[in-house]
Amino acid sequence: LLEAFGNAKTNRNDNSSRFGKYMDINFDFRGNPIGGHISTYLLEKARVISQQSGERNFHIFYQILSDSALSSACGVSGGAKDLEYLKRGDCSAVSGLDDKKQLSETKNAMQAVGFRAEEQTALFELVIACLLLGQLDFTAVEKGLGSQLTEDANSNQVAKLLGTTVSELGKALTSRTIAGKKETVTARQTTAQALFARDALAKSLYESLFTWLVSRINASVAATLEPGSKGTVIGVLDIYGFEIFQTNSFEQLCINFCNEKLQQLVIELVLKREQDEYAREGIPWVKIDYFNNEAICSLIEDPINGIIAMLDEECLRPGRQDDKNVLVHLNKKLSSHN
């Protein structure tokens, strides 16, 4: 179930996990698994709206489209190559991967976890709502200073799936509210800003859907221990590795930073401490040289002059901010970092 909603075809792996997870597996006194709990981290939600060439979106999108009756019931017309959020990777099919068969297995997994029929339907409808958001278009108004949502079959279907109206959906995407100390101002958004808001909504909606799915699974597999019994727990950490793409988002920075911190932890606990202990005890040992990535971690996490701290500072700065200004500020502050 988590593979369907959290895995995707990448250029390295046809079934790559695009989220990190920590799993507690509970065992009884006989050593038999009796339940568990999953905590997830850093879902690659940017994949919902864009993929690298040769890669796909999350499996569940293609699984739903493989069932024409299900996709039509959700208001989808056309295939993956016709949908904006699926055609950017230019890879709709994978050799050896049967999306229709996988959909059947996903439905069986939902039933095994305890999903009711209406829950399955609601889940699939939200997935399609994310997908159809990519079909929304906007026209410029007020000499390009504002924008208006184009009302068509796609916008009507998205509004229906989200339980709102086209008017309210358009208002949410084409305007923004700025709250001051004493007053609240509503500002119009340009077409570029409205498209950005559309994509942000799709990513946020899918992330919320995935978070709910994990909580639903946890409720189903929670361990039931006998009174007074603590049981045994084994923890398993699984997170995808360091990656650099042609286009990298802020969340990719967070993913790579997480990997750097894990590397730092391994260096500290396994290499540095163990070798120091061998040296104290006079045990013959061939020293293992390793790269200390402390400088990289401090570059990102320093509370004053770190990248994340400076990004927070830029967000609070009055006036319009863009990537170029942020880059100038980062170069100025970090040029002497070593």
Side-chain angles (χ1 to χ4, degrees):
L1 196 52
L2 288 178
E3 282 190 1
F5 286 84
N7 287 25
K9 189 267 182 190
T10 67
N11 289 319
R12 296 182 179 181
N13 188 340
D14 287 348
N15 190 31
S16 176
S17 176
R18 309 315 300 167
F19 65 101
K21 55 185 174 290
Y22 175 79
M23 299 175 287
D24 277 332
I25 306 174
N26 298 87
F27 298 85
D28 62 16
F29 70 94
R30 298 184 184 88
N32 298 318
I34 56 173
H37 184 273
I38 303 170
S39 299
T40 59
Y41 309 93
L42 299 171
L43 175 70
E44 190 192 17
K45 55 184 182 290
R47 183 169 292 271
V48 173
I49 66 168
S50 181
Q51 310 85 43
Q52 302 295 314
S53 178
E55 298 192 350
R56 297 208 311 177
N57 210 319
F58 293 105
H59 292 322
I60 188 62
F61 292 110
Y62 306 92
Q63 291 179 14
I64 294 175
L65 291 179
S66 69
D67 186 331
S68 57
L70 176 59
S71 59
S72 295
C74 293
V76 180
S77 59
K81 294 182 179 180
D82 303 311
L83 298 166
E84 188 67 26
Y85 284 166
L86 299 187
K87 68 182 183 181
R88 295 179 179 180
D90 194 25
C91 179
S92 58
V94 179
S95 176
L97 185 62
D98 188 335
D99 290 316
K100 194 163 188 176
K101 180 181 177 182
Q102 294 293 321
L103 176 63
S104 177
E105 293 179 2
T106 298
K107 289 181 177 179
N108 290 337
M110 286 181 173
Q111 293 175 355
V113 170
F115 277 78
R116 300 188 303 274
E118 56 268 28
E119 287 180 314
Q120 288 190 36
T121 300
L123 202 57
F124 290 145
E125 287 180 346
L126 283 175
V127 171
I128 292 302
C130 293
L131 192 58
L132 291 180
L133 277 168
Q135 303 302 104
L136 300 186
D137 199 9
F138 303 86
T139 54
V141 296
E142 299 177 3
K143 297 181 180 180
L145 297 177
S147 58
Q148 181 177 336
L149 174 64
T150 302
E151 184 170 355
D152 55 17
N154 289 315
S155 59
N156 276 284
Q157 184 62 17
V158 170
K160 178 182 176 182
L161 293 174
L162 295 181
T164 186
T165 63
V166 175
S167 175
E168 287 298 316
L169 178 63
K171 182 179 177 181
L173 296 177
T174 60
S175 63
R176 67 185 186 277
T177 301
I178 304 170
K181 291 183 178 180
K182 295 183 179 180
E183 61 179 348
T184 300
V185 178
T186 300
R188 300 298 302 270
Q189 301 211 110
T190 64
T191 53
Q193 291 171 328
L195 289 170
F196 184 87
R198 176 201 69 179
D199 292 345
L201 176 59
K203 292 189 291 183
S204 180
L205 181 61
Y206 193 83
E207 183 181 37
S208 297
L209 179 155
F210 187 77
T211 300
W212 178 86
L213 178 66
V214 173
S215 67
R216 190 70 173 74
I217 293 173
N218 281 334
S220 176
V221 302
T224 303
L225 300 174
E226 297 178 2
S229 173
K230 294 183 179 180
T232 302
V233 177
I234 292 179
V236 180
L237 176 66
D238 176 22
I239 191 166
Y240 41 5
F242 189 95
E243 292 177 302
I244 300 176
F245 298 113
Q246 185 175 355
T247 302
N248 298 280
S249 62
F250 174 72
E251 69 181 30
Q252 191 60 45
L253 171 67
C254 294
I255 290 167
N256 290 345
F257 174 54
C258 179
N259 278 280
E260 291 289 356
K261 291 296 288 184
L262 286 173
Q263 176 68 13
Q264 189 180 53
L265 186 66
V266 171
I267 289 172
E268 177 65 27
L269 297 181
V270 178
L271 295 176
K272 187 175 184 300
R273 289 189 185 181
E274 287 296 319
Q275 292 194 127
D276 289 347
E277 184 176 350
Y278 280 23
R280 285 195 304 270
E281 296 181 5
I283 299 175
W285 177 255
V286 178
K287 186 177 180 180
I288 300 175
D289 293 324
Y290 56 86
F291 172 71
N292 190 337
N293 67 344
E294 183 177 353
I296 296 174
C297 292
S298 67
L299 176 69
I300 300 172
E301 68 179 349
D302 186 274
I304 298 176
N305 292 319
I307 292 176
I308 293 178
M310 282 189 281
L311 288 175
D312 283 339
E313 181 183 335
E314 288 295 317
C315 290
L316 296 173
R317 192 185 299 275
R320 184 180 178 183
Q321 298 300 322
D322 56 32
D323 293 345
K324 186 178 293 186
N325 291 337
V326 172
L327 185 59
V328 169
H329 188 203
L330 290 175
N331 284 331
K332 183 179 178 180
K333 282 287 190 80
L334 300 175
S335 59
S336 60
H337 180 83
N338 55 14

